[in-house]
Amino acid sequence: MAEQSELNRLFWQSRRGMLELDVLLVPFVKEVYPDLDEEDQRCYRKLLSCEDQDMFGWFMQRGEPEDEDLRRMVRMILDRVQPK
């Protein structure tokens, strides 16, 4: 389980100031991130280093990240809010 200080830091990094991103990332980091394995946690942190406009396009499904890890993380986050 992630340490509380890391979770706090990630919570604030997940608040992007763009509502469309905030409603996806903030609940994900609160509810899912602590239970992810180390590799998926690394992928989430990598996602947070991306530009907001890129993430917006990915989450609005207007494109996909070239990086396979990022593509998998975007899909994981979208799957939480788009039941199949």
Side-chain angles (χ1 to χ4, degrees):
M1 184 165 217
E3 290 184 29
Q4 190 59 45
S5 61
E6 179 187 0
L7 287 174
N8 289 341
R9 183 179 56 78
L10 289 171
F11 170 81
W12 289 107
Q13 287 181 334
S14 296
R15 295 194 67 205
R16 308 301 282 208
M18 184 182 287
L19 181 62
E20 295 86 351
L21 296 178
D22 290 353
V23 298
L24 293 170
L25 298 177
V26 170
F28 185 86
V29 79
K30 283 181 169 181
E31 299 164 11
V32 178
Y33 181 88
D35 297 322
L36 293 176
D37 63 30
E38 198 171 307
E39 179 65 19
D40 286 341
Q41 287 182 352
R42 183 193 63 75
C43 289
Y44 184 78
R45 292 189 306 268
K46 184 177 182 180
L47 178 68
L48 291 180
S49 70
C50 296
E51 295 291 328
D52 289 358
Q53 290 303 318
D54 291 335
M55 285 195 285
F56 179 78
W58 301 334
F59 288 122
M60 297 301 116
Q61 298 178 316
R62 296 181 183 151
E64 291 186 328
E66 291 181 19
D67 182 285
E68 188 172 327
D69 288 340
L70 292 177
R71 200 167 36 246
R72 186 171 52 80
M73 184 54 57
V74 167
R75 176 65 15 222
M76 187 183 303
I77 293 168
L78 286 174
D79 284 348
R80 286 190 71 243
V81 295
Q82 297 174 341
K84 296 187 181 203

